[in-house]
Amino acid sequence: MTQASMVRIELPWPDRALHPNARPHWAVKGRATKSARIGAAWAAKLSGAPKLPEGASVRVTPIITPPNNRGHDTDGVVASCKAAYDGIADWIGID
């Protein structure tokens, strides 16, 4: 078993349209999803995240820093990040 290095990928706060309780028009949500996925893939590339072999596993530890002091639904925020996780997975080559 080899020890992999840690890679830090900083992403912006997810678009409100990606929150599971939001009810945006499908096209608005689609644009937000595409933007988050592509942005996260670029962020992964720029952070130096390596391409991984098929079957590799990855441990993800999200550190969520809200943009303001209001209360935020933690489960909703994590779910809002799915498109970003998918973009990172696209870059590193895992599903």
Side-chain angles (χ1 to χ4, degrees):
M1 182 165 94
T2 62
Q3 179 70 24
S5 62
M6 183 175 82
V7 176
R8 180 183 177 127
I9 302 170
E10 292 192 33
L11 301 171
W13 190 255
D15 190 310
R16 175 73 184 135
L18 298 175
H19 194 280
N21 293 334
R23 300 290 185 258
H25 186 274
W26 61 268
V28 172
K29 184 171 183 176
R31 281 191 295 273
T33 300
K34 185 175 183 178
S35 176
R37 191 168 184 157
I38 291 170
W42 274 103
K45 179 179 181 178
L46 295 175
S47 72
K51 299 281 189 173
L52 299 177
E54 188 174 327
S57 63
V58 176
R59 182 183 335 174
V60 176
T61 305
I63 299 172
I64 299 169
T65 307
N68 53 40
N69 290 331
R70 292 185 343 211
H72 292 277
D73 172 19
T74 305
D75 290 336
V77 172
V78 172
S80 298
C81 295
K82 183 189 181 311
Y85 295 150
D86 290 342
I88 294 167
D90 290 344
W91 172 251
I92 62 177
I94 62 172
D95 186 22

Short mmCIF file of all heavy atoms in Angstrom, two decimals, residues 14-24 29 33 73-83:
data_model
loop_
_atom_site.label_atom_id
_atom_site.label_comp_id
_atom_site.label_asym_id
_atom_site.label_seq_id
_atom_site.Cartn_x
_atom_site.Cartn_y
_atom_site.Cartn_z
N PRO A 14 -21.05 27.10 -2.94
CA PRO A 14 -21.92 26.61 -4.01
C PRO A 14 -23.08 27.56 -4.32
O PRO A 14 -23.61 28.22 -3.43
CB PRO A 14 -22.44 25.27 -3.49
CG PRO A 14 -22.02 25.16 -2.08
CD PRO A 14 -21.04 26.22 -1.78
N ASP A 15 -23.44 27.59 -5.57
CA ASP A 15 -24.56 28.40 -6.05
C ASP A 15 -25.84 27.97 -5.33
O ASP A 15 -26.08 26.79 -5.12
CB ASP A 15 -24.70 28.20 -7.56
CG ASP A 15 -25.67 29.17 -8.20
OD1 ASP A 15 -26.81 29.30 -7.70
OD2 ASP A 15 -25.30 29.77 -9.22
N ARG A 16 -26.67 28.92 -5.00
CA ARG A 16 -27.94 28.63 -4.31
C ARG A 16 -28.81 27.67 -5.13
O ARG A 16 -29.56 26.87 -4.57
CB ARG A 16 -28.68 29.94 -4.04
CG ARG A 16 -30.05 29.78 -3.44
CD ARG A 16 -29.96 29.37 -1.99
NE ARG A 16 -31.31 29.14 -1.48
CZ ARG A 16 -31.66 28.10 -0.75
NH1 ARG A 16 -30.78 27.21 -0.41
NH2 ARG A 16 -32.89 27.95 -0.35
N ALA A 17 -28.73 27.73 -6.43
CA ALA A 17 -29.54 26.86 -7.29
C ALA A 17 -29.20 25.38 -7.10
O ALA A 17 -30.00 24.51 -7.43
CB ALA A 17 -29.36 27.25 -8.76
N LEU A 18 -28.04 25.08 -6.54
CA LEU A 18 -27.63 23.69 -6.34
C LEU A 18 -28.12 23.11 -5.02
O LEU A 18 -27.99 21.91 -4.79
CB LEU A 18 -26.10 23.59 -6.42
CG LEU A 18 -25.49 23.99 -7.75
CD1 LEU A 18 -23.98 23.96 -7.67
CD2 LEU A 18 -26.00 23.09 -8.86
N HIS A 19 -28.66 23.94 -4.15
CA HIS A 19 -29.14 23.47 -2.86
C HIS A 19 -30.35 22.55 -3.08
O HIS A 19 -31.22 22.86 -3.89
CB HIS A 19 -29.53 24.65 -1.97
CG HIS A 19 -29.71 24.28 -0.54
ND1 HIS A 19 -30.85 23.68 -0.07
CD2 HIS A 19 -28.89 24.40 0.52
CE1 HIS A 19 -30.73 23.46 1.22
NE2 HIS A 19 -29.54 23.90 1.60
N PRO A 20 -30.42 21.42 -2.37
CA PRO A 20 -31.53 20.48 -2.60
C PRO A 20 -32.91 21.06 -2.32
O PRO A 20 -33.89 20.61 -2.92
CB PRO A 20 -31.24 19.34 -1.63
CG PRO A 20 -29.92 19.56 -1.06
CD PRO A 20 -29.46 20.93 -1.41
N ASN A 21 -33.01 22.06 -1.45
CA ASN A 21 -34.32 22.64 -1.15
C ASN A 21 -34.68 23.80 -2.07
O ASN A 21 -35.78 24.33 -1.98
CB ASN A 21 -34.37 23.11 0.31
CG ASN A 21 -34.31 21.96 1.27
OD1 ASN A 21 -34.70 20.84 0.94
ND2 ASN A 21 -33.80 22.20 2.46
N ALA A 22 -33.77 24.21 -2.93
CA ALA A 22 -34.05 25.27 -3.90
C ALA A 22 -34.94 24.70 -4.99
O ALA A 22 -34.92 23.50 -5.27
CB ALA A 22 -32.76 25.81 -4.48
N ARG A 23 -35.73 25.55 -5.59
CA ARG A 23 -36.61 25.11 -6.67
C ARG A 23 -36.41 25.97 -7.92
O ARG A 23 -37.34 26.62 -8.40
CB ARG A 23 -38.08 25.19 -6.23
CG ARG A 23 -38.44 24.35 -5.03
CD ARG A 23 -38.42 22.86 -5.38
NE ARG A 23 -38.88 22.05 -4.27
CZ ARG A 23 -38.08 21.38 -3.45
NH1 ARG A 23 -36.78 21.45 -3.61
NH2 ARG A 23 -38.56 20.64 -2.49
N PRO A 24 -35.17 25.98 -8.45
CA PRO A 24 -34.94 26.82 -9.63
C PRO A 24 -35.48 26.15 -10.90
O PRO A 24 -35.75 24.94 -10.91
CB PRO A 24 -33.41 26.90 -9.68
CG PRO A 24 -32.97 25.60 -9.12
CD PRO A 24 -33.97 25.28 -8.03
N LYS A 29 -30.66 25.54 -12.95
CA LYS A 29 -29.93 24.53 -12.20
C LYS A 29 -28.89 23.84 -13.08
O LYS A 29 -27.77 23.55 -12.65
CB LYS A 29 -30.88 23.48 -11.61
CG LYS A 29 -30.14 22.49 -10.74
CD LYS A 29 -31.06 21.59 -9.98
CE LYS A 29 -30.24 20.69 -9.08
NZ LYS A 29 -31.08 19.85 -8.24
N THR A 33 -24.96 23.71 -12.30
CA THR A 33 -24.30 22.41 -12.17
C THR A 33 -23.10 22.33 -13.09
O THR A 33 -22.01 21.91 -12.68
CB THR A 33 -25.29 21.26 -12.48
OG1 THR A 33 -26.37 21.33 -11.55
CG2 THR A 33 -24.62 19.91 -12.37
N ASP A 73 -27.63 25.16 6.55
CA ASP A 73 -27.99 23.75 6.61
C ASP A 73 -26.79 22.93 6.14
O ASP A 73 -26.50 22.89 4.94
CB ASP A 73 -29.21 23.52 5.73
CG ASP A 73 -29.58 22.06 5.55
OD1 ASP A 73 -29.15 21.24 6.38
OD2 ASP A 73 -30.31 21.75 4.60
N THR A 74 -26.09 22.29 7.07
CA THR A 74 -24.86 21.57 6.73
C THR A 74 -25.12 20.48 5.71
O THR A 74 -24.36 20.32 4.75
CB THR A 74 -24.22 20.98 8.00
OG1 THR A 74 -24.03 22.02 8.94
CG2 THR A 74 -22.89 20.34 7.68
N ASP A 75 -26.19 19.70 5.89
CA ASP A 75 -26.49 18.63 4.93
C ASP A 75 -26.76 19.20 3.55
O ASP A 75 -26.34 18.64 2.54
CB ASP A 75 -27.71 17.82 5.39
CG ASP A 75 -27.42 16.96 6.60
OD1 ASP A 75 -26.24 16.64 6.83
OD2 ASP A 75 -28.38 16.62 7.31
N GLY A 76 -27.47 20.32 3.49
CA GLY A 76 -27.76 20.96 2.21
C GLY A 76 -26.51 21.49 1.53
O GLY A 76 -26.36 21.40 0.32
N VAL A 77 -25.60 22.04 2.32
CA VAL A 77 -24.35 22.56 1.75
C VAL A 77 -23.52 21.43 1.17
O VAL A 77 -22.99 21.52 0.06
CB VAL A 77 -23.54 23.36 2.80
CG1 VAL A 77 -22.18 23.74 2.26
CG2 VAL A 77 -24.30 24.59 3.23
N VAL A 78 -23.41 20.32 1.91
CA VAL A 78 -22.65 19.16 1.42
C VAL A 78 -23.29 18.63 0.14
O VAL A 78 -22.60 18.32 -0.84
CB VAL A 78 -22.53 18.08 2.50
CG1 VAL A 78 -21.92 16.81 1.93
CG2 VAL A 78 -21.71 18.58 3.68
N ALA A 79 -24.62 18.54 0.11
CA ALA A 79 -25.32 18.07 -1.10
C ALA A 79 -25.13 19.05 -2.26
O ALA A 79 -25.05 18.63 -3.42
CB ALA A 79 -26.79 17.88 -0.80
N SER A 80 -25.04 20.34 -1.94
CA SER A 80 -24.83 21.35 -2.99
C SER A 80 -23.47 21.20 -3.67
O SER A 80 -23.27 21.70 -4.77
CB SER A 80 -24.92 22.76 -2.38
OG SER A 80 -26.18 22.99 -1.83
N CYS A 81 -22.56 20.53 -3.01
CA CYS A 81 -21.20 20.36 -3.54
C CYS A 81 -21.05 19.15 -4.46
O CYS A 81 -19.96 18.89 -4.95
CB CYS A 81 -20.21 20.25 -2.38
SG CYS A 81 -20.10 21.75 -1.41
N LYS A 82 -22.13 18.41 -4.71
CA LYS A 82 -22.03 17.19 -5.52
C LYS A 82 -21.45 17.46 -6.90
O LYS A 82 -20.59 16.71 -7.37
CB LYS A 82 -23.37 16.49 -5.67
CG LYS A 82 -23.22 15.19 -6.44
CD LYS A 82 -24.53 14.58 -6.81
CE LYS A 82 -24.38 13.28 -7.57
NZ LYS A 82 -23.47 13.28 -8.68
N ALA A 83 -21.89 18.52 -7.55
CA ALA A 83 -21.36 18.83 -8.88
C ALA A 83 -19.86 19.10 -8.81
O ALA A 83 -19.11 18.70 -9.70
CB ALA A 83 -22.09 20.03 -9.47
#
